[in-house]
Amino acid sequence: MESAATTNHMEIVYERPVTLTDTPMHYCPGCGHGVVHRVLMEVINEMGIQDRTVGVAPVGCSVFAYNYMNVDMQEAAHGRASAVATGIKRVLPEKYVYSYQGDGDLAAIGTGETIHTVNRGENILMIFINNAIYGMTGGQMAPTSILGQVTSTTPYGRKSDLNGFPLKITDLVTQLPGAYYVTRQSVHTAAAVRKLKKAIEASFKYQPLKKGTCFIEVVSNCPSGWKMTPIEANAWMEKNMFPLYPIGDLKVPKQN
Amino acid sequence: MESAATTNHMEIVYERPVTLTDTPMHYCPGCGHGVVHRVLMEVINEMGIQDRTVGVAPVGCSVFAYNYMNVDMQEAAHGRASAVATGIKRVLPEKYVYSYQGDGDLAAIGTGETIHTVNRGENILMIFINNAIYGMTGGQMAPTSILGQVTSTTPYGRKSDLNGFPLKITDLVTQLPGAYYVTRQSVHTAAAVRKLKKAIEASFKYQPLKKGTCFIEVVSNCPSGWKMTPIEANAWMEKNMFPLYPIGDLKVPKQN
Amino acid sequence: MKTAHEIIIAGFGGQGVLSMGQIIAYAAMKEGKEVSWMPSYGPEMRGGTANCIVIVSEEKINSPIVSTFDSAIILNQPSLEKFADHVKPGGLILFEESSIINPPSRTDVEKLPVAALEEAQKLNKRQVANMILLGAFLERRPLVAPENVLKALKEVLPERHHHLLPLNEQALLRGKQIALELAHESVL
Amino acid sequence: MKTAHEIIIAGFGGQGVLSMGQIIAYAAMKEGKEVSWMPSYGPEMRGGTANCIVIVSEEKINSPIVSTFDSAIILNQPSLEKFADHVKPGGLILFEESSIINPPSRTDVEKLPVAALEEAQKLNKRQVANMILLGAFLERRPLVAPENVLKALKEVLPERHHHLLPLNEQALLRGKQIALELAHESVL
Amino acid sequence: MEPTSQRVDSSTQAETRLMKGNEALAEAAIRSGMQAYFGYPITPQSEILEYFTAEAPKHNFVVLQAESELAAINMVYGAGGAGARVMTSSSSPGISLMQEGISYMASAEIPCLVVNVQRGGPGLGTIQPAQGDYFQATKGGGHGDYRLLVLAPASVQEMADFVFDGFRLADKYRTPVLILADGALGQMMEKVVLPPSGSLPFIDKPWATTGKPASRERNILTSLHMEPEKMEEINVKLQDKYRKMQQEVRYEVIGAENPEMVIVAFGLTARICLKAIELAKERGIKVALLRPITLYPFPYDAIARLTSTAYAFLTVEMNAGQMVEDVRLAVNGKRPVYFKGRMGGMIPSPEDVLLEIETIAEKQQTTTV
Amino acid sequence: MEPTSQRVDSSTQAETRLMKGNEALAEAAIRSGMQAYFGYPITPQSEILEYFTAEAPKHNFVVLQAESELAAINMVYGAGGAGARVMTSSSSPGISLMQEGISYMASAEIPCLVVNVQRGGPGLGTIQPAQGDYFQATKGGGHGDYRLLVLAPASVQEMADFVFDGFRLADKYRTPVLILADGALGQMMEKVVLPPSGSLPFIDKPWATTGKPASRERNILTSLHMEPEKMEEINVKLQDKYRKMQQEVRYEVIGAENPEMVIVAFGLTARICLKAIELAKERGIKVALLRPITLYPFPYDAIARLTSTAYAFLTVEMNAGQMVEDVRLAVNGKRPVYFKGRMGGMIPSPEDVLLEIETIAEKQQTTTV
Amino acid sequence: MIRGTVLINRDICKGCELCIAACPQDSLGLSDQINRHGYRYVQLVQDNCTGCINCALVCPDCAITVYQEPRAKAKSSAQRVPAL
Amino acid sequence: MIRGTVLINRDICKGCELCIAACPQDSLGLSDQINRHGYRYVQLVQDNCTGCINCALVCPDCAITVYQEPRAKAKSSAQRVPAL
Ligand SMILES: Cc1ncc(C[n+]2csc(CCOP(=O)(O)OP(=O)(O)O)c2C)c(N)n1
Ligand SMILES: Cc1ncc(C[n+]2csc(CCOP(=O)(O)OP(=O)(O)O)c2C)c(N)n1
Ligand code: SF4
Ligand code: SF4
Ligand code: SF4
Ligand code: SF4
Ligand code: SF4
Ligand code: SF4
Ligand SMILES: [Mg+2]
Ligand SMILES: [Mg+2]
């Protein structure tokens, strides 16, 4: 530990939440997964719901989320996190249940489960990390990869005629009557992180109302998969992903 | 054969197309599947593309479509017709390829394939028979069943909190950039049948342009599953399904 | 009667073939007998033919599927062609008269043509033709007591159709009568 | 040299451990030898440790996975701890000097510490440390001819990095020199 | 439309009813205290889901028609992991789609009940009864080394009873249990004595993910272990469990004492063989039936013991020859093992089987003369 | 990031290269005239898809990253049914998801090549090499009675060669063929002599759905046959085909003539055993290796013949004991059959195997003394 | 008014009555007879058919062939297939 | 201006530099040393930290603890967790 100024007489204004385990995270330097994990755990800590929360980890870089998140967790098969979360929530309707998935997991192999979970309006929070690539398996094209993006399976850039178009799955789920709250956030600046935190807070507050699914897309980075430094990656994300995946709310509950 | 008036000196103004086999169809009396089959085969006959067309049958009441449609056909696993059609079209890009699926097939188990096929803009025609029920397996709830609808798995009526909402999958695929032409039609009147025929014609004309997927939903009936006479069924459909699934074009190619 | 009685009931779907079998099975069970009811469950779609095998036995039933029968109750021509030869010598072939164009030619079985449809029309309800057949059958093969058949009927019919019970009872009786009348002329 | 030479090369991911092995294998193949290169392919994510087993043989290679080695080229401390005891008596442990805090204590093997990182810094390219180690290794175990190593390098390096070939050659040479210098003081 | 047996009110009393196998199974599940069912319609077992949806309002269980079998099995994973007594059911093609999920559950040790009311395959096949999924059920249709405890009912009564056994064993071994039935068993009606409700106790599941209280570490359910050493450990643990499961082996032997011939058959086929054995007896051939009730664990020893009296074994299945491999492994070369199968939805008749018996008996005669 | 072996230009000449198994397989596929590939990334075989996407512009084949393994296998069905030389590849969990599709293809007789580069299971498991999918591959992980022709490569060379064999056999028998490799074979580099392009002829596929000309009836590819009689007919036809396929059995025997002990092992494990056999020889124990190259058809007869000389058999696998059942069936009780396995991504070492050999040899000594 | 007529394939007609509902002329009605599949089939009950083909368009079983007196310019939407 | 400071867990810092970019005070910089995972870690390079917690908010590895001189009314968005 290192600190230039002395901390005597100072008070802690930010520290690791107890809901985050001590295990150092395996993510690459600068990877957005870590930030989202932390913010999620901060909210659970601050809301005091650690003992009533069950999370579902996906297959993807965040497959080990359960090593870091200090809540009961299940690790789902690739793409099925929302089905697993459905199973949990249906038998434990009073618990807080969330799923956490990448773009390959949620928007490729898991498309059917994603659409139907939201369409049923399962009273869960779905967190969707869109980094426009398959991080874990070594940087292959994701459904959300942008046109022209070079990945290990689009070495000459994604072309719509060969590989289809970037899939805006969040826009699709927004259409579904089961969606209660849908928002798209990011974690590349302190301000963005604060907004994401509010969105997660709101989602957990909505959950006991049983009004439907809360769905949060986080437009994120993959420095390794994109072959960039974290700073470059965030800049690339702002420049190339934000126009396609604009940050902001897509559906907010009607005041009543 | 029976005819009150003599047919001497008269000419045939409607007869069975040669693209429809002689096999009597196994569908229940009044079932819309038969009409759609016939219209589809009329178009193929009239366009003279029988020798360049490959169809894909689903699992559902129309599983035996290949017994009636006099074109080369493959029978796909439940929900995978559009993946099978993708496989065919990718290796035979100059042929006309269509898939034919029910609502359980296309919008439940096959949701992922449906979304991704259209999102890739596969240059095929997808025909989607929405009869708001699983006809083949005995009248279970379909993703498109309407709220309150009594089916063998919603004996007290479909409830959104238990069973989710009617899934307007055609509205979803309309959003996808790969969709070139999306329309919703029906077959309960002669006028409706004429419109459907136009839609199918248009779709096959678009196919060689390689501009993306043509998607035709046919809002149809299931007298047996709904436990109604065909006439009652069509009336019920107009009254209950059309408001939710309004007939008309959802996406038409831009003129250019 | 020997310890097990094996019956095939066959016709078109919708003729009440399957419930006929169920009623026999249910009534026999109520009498403490061993029973099994095995439908030929059709293709995953409507229509077509339907049949079921019912076994009523004093002992535990092993195979619920048999290929020869003590009795056959036949409601259409294709079924007759399929099953007529599978009735054991000395067995019974009971059939709906108007539905059968070519009656069975076997001479080593009892043949009982019942004009059930016609009779049902007379009762103003085509749907009870199967009960007429059942009544006739039970007259010739009294596997279960009539009062138990009525009880079974009550159990098998959905509540909302219970007002039809008297009509069904009437049909059963009519069937019994017909069989009695025919008994005199029946050819072995 | 006996008919097969079994080598382990181990370090952190990104240190060029795997390509070192590939270069040896490729060069040996060009010389008509049998070769195998077996990476420990890591978890489905970035980072962590990496190693590969390279076998160069006059004869057909059966198991590409072995648990004792003729030579070990070690680039970090965890790898040294993992593999030091698996080097056959009389074998070679070559290691990057600055990365190893506790050098191997065995006395029945040849130990060759090479300050590859330091030397690479001198060449203004940390990334060629692995070539320095390779040069040193081939000096002590001349499994393949230097010209074939250069050829292999050309094949293994992506085209866009071909301008680095001279630098790599320099590094190889520097490694050779170091090994020669050390040879005099090396302890068995 | 086929008639449906009358619905019964689950009760704390045992009750005798005439029911379809599918319905008896569903009613038994309700009485067993099942807490959740997730499934997708498929013939010949859709009655199970239908029965649950009709009964649900009267009881306190979850029933959900999933969007696919894939979703269903993963919902089962979630609910089972959360500690619920949970099940799913399907028929052959649908069960194939569940293979990945089943492998996951075996590995993460999620107790649950899976019911396969088999139909004729391969492919879409037919909806007629078959036993073509024996290999898939007993050797593991999914990837990796795992086993399911497999129960093979042969009557409507067993369709009901094995639900209780299945849930009990699933909890006991923290493992998915499979009931391997067939379309005929699902569709036929027989008398069934329904077990009383509440007779199957619930056990503590301290490993379940129900929310981490301060008093314990978080619970994690996973099948991922990147270190092969750790993954091997998991496998060793599973294999130990499977060894322990051997004690659950069940079978019955019916027919001749000191038989000259033994038929091995399971499920409905076994009952058909009993009829054939009666016929054979009339012809003076002493045949016994060995009916495996658990297909995994398989009654190898029981079969091996019979090699001392029987001169031949005949395996009868509604498939092209699957269990016969296990019978051969049990007999281990000591006696000839014959096979008779019907496929694609065809049911062997007692006469089919009798013919085999006679042929084998004749062969034996010629050999011994 | 691991380095990737250099890409080579497919050519009409045979070429010698140093390549990863996955890449050699992909390059061989291109040279074999493969017309379409559909796949979904999964470690340890993603290089196959990556290789194809990099090479596609230079050649005339279709490569498509599907949205899932489920979609991929059904695209294979479509393309194969349309007459194309088509393949997919995946690793264990992904292959489980393909089981329904594979059963469909076997039934509809769609020729294609499926590659399983196995990793440790069950469940998500680990990405390290394993052979835990032997049962799934050889007994049918999907539903119904069907078999795949299964080839088990043991070297990078065979990873390449078996693509040619696979496509040839798939066409010959109108059947899906499976290459059962493992992660180590996919990731390791060896010398490979790449077969020249164009050396694998194309055959006529009059059954393919390519559009119905006036000159023939329409072609229908289906696995549905509602009449059980018809479905049984289909099954009989399939079983006939599988019997004919027995002639394709391949294996090799290496090591001592008239061995006292025979090791049966496939794939990479076989090569590890060879090393162990060398070590055993030094200790005076004469051991031979029988390596099944086709896992289905399995070399039962070849193994049975060896029972005349060997006093014991040892099966070594990277699983909990799967092929050993087939070895037992082949040996049929004539000799003891031992098993040594490592699981969950662990690779047995030659020393592991040697220990088993010595233990068996000792046991034999004590018995014979 | 143009004269037409229809030929109904009574063997494949399922008596769904959709054609009856679709006929603007009320020309069609159910027969009292049943065909070999057990269905009451449709027949012409009035000789006022115009050959508008509406009935044929809605028939799910393609059981209806429609004839019409020749006109200078046929306007039916169905292609004229020569009756071979 | 409020005074603050940060404590950086150098063992888990991965040197991604995102905190450096996020700091409005330019208080942070990369050290020349590497930690045991091989990463150059971050350290305070100027003593002008205000305790605004921006750095902590963007840190993917939760490597930063932030301190601040007590104010009458703390306005940080993070919950005050008593340091036990
Ligand atoms: C059935 C199955 N298919 C494929 C895989 C391989 N796989 C693991 S993670 C992954 C994709 C991960 O991408 P994403 O969901 O975007 O997560 P990220 O790593 O980018 O966070 C894939 C294809 C698998 N484990 N299981
Ligand atoms: C994998 C699989 N799951 C389930 C089934 C059973 N099944 C056959 S058709 C069908 C649904 C049919 O409904 P739909 O697609 O709406 O077609 P329809 O019959 O209404 O035309 C189902 C669930 C199957 N054959 N395969
Ligand atoms: S590969 Fe990408 S998504 Fe995965 S940990 Fe690294 S940076 Fe994050
Ligand atoms: S069940 Fe419904 S969809 Fe199927 S044929 Fe009958 S009416 Fe048509
Ligand atoms: S052609 Fe027109 S007028 Fe004639 S019967 Fe048909 S619908 Fe009626
Ligand atoms: S529409 Fe066709 S099937 Fe229906 S009644 Fe008329 S002719 Fe018959
Ligand atoms: S953001 Fe965190 S991990 Fe990155 S450099 Fe700063 S302290 Fe280190
Ligand atoms: S707390 Fe604010 S001022 Fe202090 S180092 Fe972090 S970002 Fe800079
Ligand atoms: Mg991603
Ligand atoms: Mg439908």
Side-chain angles (χ1 to χ4, degrees), chain C residues 6 19 39 43-44 48 63 65-66 80 95 101 128 145 154 168:
Chain C
E6 296 161 342
S19 41
E44 281 178 301
S63 177
I65 296 167
V66 290
L80 185 77
F95 56 95
I101 304 153
V128 296
K154 214 165 165 180
N168 278 283

Side-chain angles (χ1 to χ4, degrees), chain A residues 48 59 79 119 130 168 173 178 226 239:
Chain A
V59 178
N119 192 56
N130 178 3
K168 300 174 74 168
V173 304
W226 300 353
K239 177 152 179 271

Side-chain angles (χ1 to χ4, degrees), chain A residues 33 102-104 129-135 142 144:
Chain A
H33 276 304
D103 40 19
I129 310 298
N130 178 3
N131 59 8
I133 208 155
Y134 287 13
T144 53

